[in-house]
Amino acid sequence: MSPTTTLDHLAARDLAEVVRGFRDALRAHQSGINRLNVYPVPDGDTGTNMALTLESVVTEIQDVEPALAPMCKAISHGSLMGARGNSGVILSQILRGLCDGFRHLDDSVGIGPADLAAALTAAAAAAYGAVMRPVEGTILTVMREAAEGAQVAADTDATLVQVLDAARTAGGDALARTPEMLPVLAEAGVVDAGGTGLLLLLDVLLNVSDGRSMPAPDESEEPLIDPAFTERLEHAHASGEHDISSLRFEVMYFLHAPDETIPAFKDVWAGIGDSIVVVGGDGIFNCHIHTDDIGAAIEAALEIGRPSKIRVTDLLEEVEEERWVREAAATFTEPERSHEPVETAVVAVATGEGIRRIFYSLGVQGIVTGGQTMNPSTAQLLEAVEAAPADHVVILPNNKNIIPVAEQVDAHTTKSVYVVPTRGIAEGFASLLAYDPEADGGINRGAMVSAAQNVVAGEVTQAVRDSSCDLGPIKEGDWLGLSRDGIRAVGGSVEQACEQLLLQLVGDDHEIVTIIEGEGSSAAITRHLEVWLQENHPAVSAEIHHGGQPLYPYLFGIE
């Protein structure tokens, strides 16, 4: 609610209103901010990550005493623990910097003009300090110049609103100039997405302190990035040039480690990736990196401390599977199953209603929703393990990116946890053929690993941009057949890619081909594949299951 009179100081209650208003503003502008992203892949997540970060802060302050010290502590903790993505982690550091400037102020006086300017300056310094390689023309520049504008006004004994006006004007000018500072923005024809989101914080501060109207969100769905820019980046990636899109995975986790070990940790990370942001202190840090080497990114943490809540995101496919997981979680009804205690229980990671039902039918006691791009956290896997009706629990990650996350669970529970390193759904299904709920975890793990290794797994998905492989060039929209060895088929249609892949994978010694249908499959294509198998491998039986998985219209398990 906007004030009926202009405020000359901000109290703790006002600060809480700012946090809630900032969350609401980011939600309203989320789509527009996402469309400013310059990555030529469907991640578009700057607005989403900033909004999710503020959701955590809003939750943290719900029952907090209306005093500056506890309010600032809650905002700092909520932003650190809830930060998502590069933009969210930087934003969390900005909020923590502001709160460090507010927390020791007298509640009877509140936050005055000079206090606000000093806190904005501290927040800008904290943000720059968190980023391994600060780049001008980003949210960092917008924050710094907004703080400089506020400080100039405060030095002239300006009022609180005048300080905020100066900060908003300077920040807006800086945002408009971000394309001049960062050539990639100029070529894309957009301003910085993170800086755009940050200005909403100043807009909310003016709304709370002076009743100013909030800017209306851009509800257009038209792309904001120049198509020629996207085409250039796609060509650069296909030709092997290094650009902002060349590091595929985003790795994030909390690191529990001594403060003095962090500089050396950052040096290790500097050699394996970019977009490095490490924030926190007093033994806990929120760490973010873009890299192609997931293992090295996690091993660096293990050298100095304990990583937790590890998240690995494939930047190429994040949004599509995020949509699917959200919808699936809202509509899926778990089948009735036994919760009677067993010697060893199984927890699997899976997407697709049909796939989940199959896992349950094979004896799985718990399922965590996730997959190639929506990797579940260690905390989510731990919750499922704790709920399983056994002291020994086997985890089936069913994705190579989730294996290192699953391997962290054992250290956080009194139960004995065994990871069968399944890299796909077909391997997960095969492993369960050797599962014995009355045997102990170690015996089950050995048998299930052997069973998983005996299946030949394949999958078909669509290329999201131009690239190349050993088979030749790949065009955006081509269908790719994948196996454990990489890309084995490239086709102009789903049927063509499936045929080429099965031609590579099915041999004379095989007896069964399990076909799992996902989004993008059809009865006609499935029937075509059955006929193809009958003609080319008459001794092989086809088993058809509807999985409903996103992104992969067909998964194959060959035995």
Side-chain angles (χ1 to χ4, degrees), residues 57 67 78 127 129 168 178 206 242-243 291 341 384 534:
V57 181
R168 179 59 177 81
T178 53
L206 283 165
H242 183 84
D243 56 47
T291 183
Q534 290 172 2

Side-chain angles (χ1 to χ4, degrees), residues 261-280:
T261 64
I262 298 303
F265 168 77
K266 289 182 178 179
D267 288 342
V268 173
W269 263 21
I272 61 171
D274 63 17
S275 296
I276 297 168
V277 187
V278 179
V279 304

Side-chain angles (χ1 to χ4, degrees), residues 354-355 357-358 361 425 429 498 502 511-518 521-534 540-549 553-559:
I355 286 176
R357 292 189 185 280
I358 294 169
S361 73
I425 295 300
F429 288 167
C498 288
L502 291 172
E511 299 176 349
I512 299 173
V513 174
T514 301
I515 301 174
I516 305 169
E517 300 171 310
S521 66
S522 70
I525 296 174
T526 302
R527 180 57 184 160
H528 176 87
L529 295 177
E530 288 184 273
V531 171
W532 186 91
L533 283 169
Q534 290 172 2
V540 171
S541 299
E543 294 185 357
I544 314 300
H545 299 282
H546 180 70
Q549 68 276 1
Y554 286 94
L555 303 176
F556 301 107
I558 303 161
E559 303 169 66

Side-chain angles (χ1 to χ4, degrees), residues 97 122 131 161 203 459 465:
V131 178
V161 171
D203 290 326
E459 53 196 27
R465 59 181 178 182

Side-chain angles (χ1 to χ4, degrees), residues 254-262 281-285 301 304-306:
F254 292 106
L255 173 57
H256 303 265
D259 291 15
E260 62 270 18
T261 64
I262 298 303
D282 297 324
I284 182 168
F285 299 84
I304 62 169
R306 178 174 60 84

Side-chain angles (χ1 to χ4, degrees), residues 34 117 133 175 177 181 183 192 210 241 246 254 265 271 277 282 316 336 355-356 404 406 487 490 509 533 550:
N34 285 345
R133 302 184 186 95
L175 180 66
R177 290 186 287 104
M181 294 177 256
D192 179 65
D210 196 38
E241 297 176 19
S246 62
F254 292 106
F265 168 77
V277 187
D282 297 324
L316 293 181
E336 291 293 327
I355 286 176
R356 291 163 69 100
I487 299 173
V490 179
D509 57 337
L533 283 169

